[in-house]
Amino acid sequence: MKKLGLALMLLMSVFAHAQVSINLNIGTPPSWGPEGNDESRYYYLPDIDIYYDVAQSQYIYENSGKWVRDKRLPSRYRNYDLYDGYKVVLNDYKGDSPYSYHKKHVTNYPKGYKGKPQKTRGNKPDSKQKPNKDNAKKDNTKKGNSKNSKGNNSDKNKDHGHDDRH
C-alpha cells in the first residue's frame, strides 16, 4: 500500500511539473524574430527605436512622451522590413515595461546597430507571389497590345512562348 501511495505521489508531481512547463510558454515568436530565442519576451529594434513584446504580440513605442502598445507598427514604419532589420534580444529583463531601460538600450544599440549575424525563424514572404493589381493590368495590356502591334516582337522575347488558354 505504501508503494502504491508513493507511486501515486510521484506521478502527481510529474503532472504538476508539466503544468508549470506549459505556463512558462510565453508566446510564439514572430517569423521575423531571431532564431534560437524562443524563451525571450522582448526584442528591441534599434533602427526604428521600438520594442516588440512576444507574449502580447505587440509593438511598444514612444508617442508624444508616452509609451504605447499596438498590434501594428506606427504608420511611419509600415514599410520597415522586419526580416532584414536587426533585433536585439532582451534576455535580462523581466516585467511589462522594457522601456524602463530605454536610455541604456539607445546608448548600447544605436540606430544602425548590427551585432552577431542573425537568422530569422521563418522565411521572408516572397512579394512575387502576392497578387498585384499593377501586374494584372500589365497582363491585360499585353494581350491588347499584341493584337494592335504587328511586327513588334518585344513581347515574344520576354515571354518565350504563348498563351494556350482558349
Side-chain angles (χ1 to χ4, degrees):
M1 187 69 164
K2 287 182 183 180
K3 289 182 182 180
L4 181 62
L6 185 59
L8 191 59
M9 285 177 43
L10 181 62
L11 186 61
M12 289 181 68
S13 70
V14 168
F15 285 126
H17 179 68
Q19 181 67 36
V20 171
S21 296
I22 291 169
N23 289 336
L24 290 177
N25 187 358
I26 59 172
T28 304
S31 59
W32 52 262
E35 191 175 71
N37 295 287
D38 293 354
E39 301 303 316
S40 302
R41 180 171 176 187
Y42 296 106
Y43 307 143
Y44 176 63
L45 312 172
D47 290 339
I48 56 176
D49 193 27
I50 288 180
Y51 295 92
Y52 182 76
D53 183 339
V54 175
Q56 301 296 319
S57 300
Q58 293 179 331
Y59 299 95
I60 307 168
Y61 56 92
E62 198 170 10
N63 186 13
S64 300
K66 293 187 178 186
W67 288 95
V68 177
R69 288 176 169 266
D70 198 338
K71 294 280 184 189
R72 296 178 63 186
L73 281 170
S75 58
R76 65 185 176 269
Y77 296 123
R78 296 270 160 78
N79 291 327
Y80 178 73
D81 189 342
L82 293 164
Y83 286 86
D84 287 338
Y86 195 81
K87 282 74 69 180
V88 176
V89 179
L90 302 177
N91 285 321
D92 59 348
Y93 186 79
K94 305 288 184 222
D96 295 326
S97 51
Y99 47 83
S100 299
Y101 297 103
H102 185 246
K103 287 182 182 178
K104 174 186 166 188
H105 295 148
V106 170
T107 302
N108 291 346
Y109 315 110
K111 185 175 183 173
Y113 174 83
K114 301 286 185 219
K116 294 178 182 176
Q118 292 178 328
K119 183 176 179 182
T120 57
R121 294 175 44 81
N123 293 329
K124 184 175 180 177
D126 186 7
S127 60
K128 292 178 185 176
Q129 292 178 352
K130 292 182 182 177
N132 185 341
K133 293 177 186 174
D134 293 336
N135 288 342
K137 288 178 186 174
K138 286 178 186 174
D139 289 343
N140 292 337
T141 305
K142 275 186 184 179
K143 289 178 186 176
N145 285 344
S146 63
K147 292 178 185 175
N148 297 333
S149 57
K150 293 178 182 175
N152 182 355
N153 292 331
S154 63
D155 284 343
K156 288 181 184 176
N157 290 339
K158 290 179 188 172
D159 264 352
H160 299 290
H162 63 281
D163 189 356
D164 287 330
R165 291 176 283 166
H166 296 283

